[in-house]
Amino acid sequence: ADHTQVGPLGALVVDDGFDLTTETLVPDPALAAAATLSAMLTARGVAVGPPSTGTAPPTPTEVATLQSAPLSDVATELLSASDNATAEGLALAVGHETSGSGATAAGLAGIMSWLTGAGVDLTDVALVDGSGLSHDNRVTCNALFQTLELGTRPRLRAIVDGLSIAAKRGTLADRFGGTSLADRFFAKSGTLTGSAGLAGLFDPAGGTGTPRFAGVFNGGFSRPDGYTLTDALAEAVAAYPQSPPADQLVPPP
């Protein structure tokens, strides 16, 4: 996995378990979150004891409630920003919802079962985490494409609506500026050392349709080279509906 982004997870996390001061991942996200809250309360004149971990009382006292954002908004943030912690958290939530277990394996089983029921072909697909950071994950272009197509269903529109936008939003905000892709290329990106992918759609000018695409690259390349590969894929998609000359497509007699 990419160890610059992988750290302990928990139900209570601030800043994705990342210490903004030291620019490192914290070893205990819940304790770090408690320390952050304690510091904020102390700064506002509220006397509190030192943060610590322990077992919650059987009848805790509720001091505040916060309603979660709609799942569609959470999915949009996840997709556009490629938020690994949110992806992992949602996988655990799926496990709890489908089997009562908040374990990773339970979440992945629930995800695979739902995708199969939705008609996605999971042949040769293998998931070991929710974020996709592990190099042991296996996914096919066909599965990515079919999952993208689910976004045409009204209840699942966040799959498409949440994609990052070239030169405008998310992981593509600083890519493709001043090109024909700007503001018309929508995709979920993913780039690690030795693995890169891009799946989404392109809205070409001239009413020529909206091509959808999915591409995955694997090999001994660096992350910068991964961006180069996905840039080339995006440019190829943007060339639609242009195609090579007929003599390059059809073998001579």
Side-chain angles (χ1 to χ4, degrees), residues 9-240:
L9 293 175
L12 179 61
V13 182
V14 173
D15 293 326
D16 288 345
F18 194 76
D19 188 321
L20 301 179
T21 302
T22 62
E23 298 186 352
T24 59
L25 291 161
V26 299
D28 188 332
L31 185 59
T36 299
L37 177 60
S38 294
M40 295 175 68
L41 290 172
T42 299
R44 288 159 176 78
V46 180
V48 294
S52 63
T53 58
T55 302
T59 55
T61 301
E62 181 180 295
V63 295
T65 60
L66 180 65
Q67 186 68 32
S68 169
L71 183 57
S72 57
D73 291 352
V74 175
T76 293
E77 189 275 335
L78 184 165
L79 291 168
S80 64
S82 198
D83 191 325
N84 301 314
T86 297
E88 198 71 45
L90 282 181
L92 302 182
V94 168
H96 185 272
E97 182 70 21
T98 57
S99 69
S101 169
T104 298
L108 299 180
I111 290 170
M112 297 282 277
S113 175
W114 187 91
L115 286 172
T116 298
V120 176
D121 182 1
L122 297 181
T123 302
D124 296 325
V125 172
L127 303 180
V128 300
D129 62 19
S131 65
L133 286 171
S134 171
H135 284 290
D136 291 330
N137 288 302
R138 295 291 182 270
V139 67
T140 65
C141 292
N142 189 41
L144 289 175
F145 187 85
Q146 291 179 354
T147 301
L148 182 68
E149 287 293 283
L150 295 178
T152 61
R153 303 182 185 182
R155 292 185 66 250
L156 302 175
R157 281 193 56 186
I159 294 175
V160 171
D161 291 348
L163 297 173
S164 57
I165 306 173
K168 184 176 182 180
R169 182 179 75 179
T171 57
L172 300 183
D174 58 354
R175 296 172 67 180
F176 309 117
T179 73
S180 61
L181 287 84
D183 220 16
R184 292 174 25 219
F185 187 79
F186 311 83
K188 171 68 182 74
S189 64
T191 310
L192 301 173
T193 301
S195 183
L198 204 62
L201 56 127
F202 176 62
D203 184 17
T208 50
T210 305
R212 294 174 175 2
F213 64 90
V216 176
F217 302 90
N218 294 295
F221 52 80
S222 64
R223 289 188 71 180
D225 288 341
Y227 289 118
T228 299
L229 289 168
T230 51
D231 282 353
L233 172 60
E235 291 164 2
V237 171
Y240 177 87

